[in-house]
Amino acid sequence: GNSVTQMEGPVTLSEEAFLTINCTYTATGYPSLFWYVQYPGEGLQLLLKATKADDKGSNKGFEATYRKETTSFHLEKGSVQVSDSAVYFCALSDQKAGTALIFGKGTTLSVSS
Amino acid sequence: ETGVTQTPRHLVMGMTNKKSLKCEQHLGHNAMYWYKQSAKKPLELMFVYNFKEQTENNSVPSRFSPECPNSSHLFLHLHTLQPEDSALYLCASSAEGTIGFNNEQFFGPGTRLTVL
């Protein structure tokens, strides 16, 4: 079945450091891929998405490229800020599978000044 | 503001109480979802409704009872809960077709439930 695997957290960085959060997936069809972010005390918000191979999603300085050959969708940011501290979820949707979004377990990012 | 609202934001209830969580979306979506988010556990999908029909029920105990009277409203009725049911309950919605799910979900802020 379809699944998403994220790197275990927490990830602790200093302000302006480079961020990578790894995400790999298993899917039977041609999924769309998403990154969601959850700030403390809030629900999940869509951060970026990509719907086909080689697409790059980007938002608020974050980027992720849909890599079909490595079944990956790693999240990156060149210079993190304290305000980026949150939990990040990788997710996929596979219309052929007929199921709703499948989420990874989430990675907690903590950025200190 | 995502266009999905949830009430109440916080709820404390005893194990013998009956309460309901409410979710409303103002996005014109046709699919709605309930998730449970517990500390140190993955996000758990509980129920899915598409065009008011329940399409998924992921082995959720019968003490949780969903209701979707129309495409804009979703309820989760709670009765005789256990302390381990304490969690953040998230509602989401998305715009889907009839052949499957492919689109991003918009989440509400959640209801923080504590069962004593």
Side-chain angles (χ1 to χ4, degrees), chain A residues 5 9-11 15 17 23 40 42 51 57 59 63 75-76 92 99 107:
Chain A
T5 303
V11 174
E15 208 164 23
C23 171
E42 298 182 14
T51 58
N59 186 25
E63 293 183 340
L75 182 68
E76 296 181 337
L92 74 83
T99 58
T107 302

Side-chain angles (χ1 to χ4, degrees), chain B residues 20-32:
Chain B
S20 295
L21 309 185
K22 179 182 176 181
C23 176
E24 184 172 0
Q25 57 95 0
H26 309 275
L27 301 168
H29 292 164
N30 51 278
M32 297 188 77

Side-chain angles (χ1 to χ4, degrees), chain A residues 67-106:
Chain A
R67 303 279 188 205
K68 193 169 188 297
E69 63 276 12
T70 54
T71 62
S72 65
F73 193 54
H74 304 322
L75 182 68
E76 296 181 337
K77 186 174 185 182
S79 176
V80 293
Q81 305 300 312
V82 172
S83 57
D84 294 326
S85 298
V87 182
Y88 292 81
F89 294 88
C90 185
L92 74 83
S93 81
D94 183 351
Q95 192 169 48
K96 288 184 68 175
T99 58
L101 282 184
I102 295 172
F103 285 89
K105 294 182 178 181

Side-chain angles (χ1 to χ4, degrees), chain A residues 1-108:
Chain A
N2 294 355
S3 65
V4 174
T5 303
Q6 282 182 244
M7 62 187 288
E8 294 282 335
V11 174
T12 303
L13 295 173
S14 298
E15 208 164 23
E16 299 183 4
F18 184 85
L19 169 70
T20 300
I21 300 178
N22 290 340
C23 171
T24 57
Y25 67 89
T26 302
T28 53
Y30 300 95
S32 295
L33 301 173
F34 308 86
W35 276 102
Y36 282 80
V37 59
Q38 184 178 30
Y39 298 104
E42 298 182 14
L44 279 69
Q45 303 173 28
L46 179 68
L47 182 59
L48 53 84
K49 70 176 184 180
T51 58
K52 61 183 187 296
D54 299 325
D55 268 2
K56 178 186 283 188
S58 61
N59 186 25
K60 300 181 182 179
F62 290 90
E63 293 183 340
T65 301
Y66 189 147
R67 303 279 188 205
K68 193 169 188 297
E69 63 276 12
T70 54
T71 62
S72 65
F73 193 54
H74 304 322
L75 182 68
E76 296 181 337
K77 186 174 185 182
S79 176
V80 293
Q81 305 300 312
V82 172
S83 57
D84 294 326
S85 298
V87 182
Y88 292 81
F89 294 88
C90 185
L92 74 83
S93 81
D94 183 351
Q95 192 169 48
K96 288 184 68 175
T99 58
L101 282 184
I102 295 172
F103 285 89
K105 294 182 178 181
T107 302
T108 299

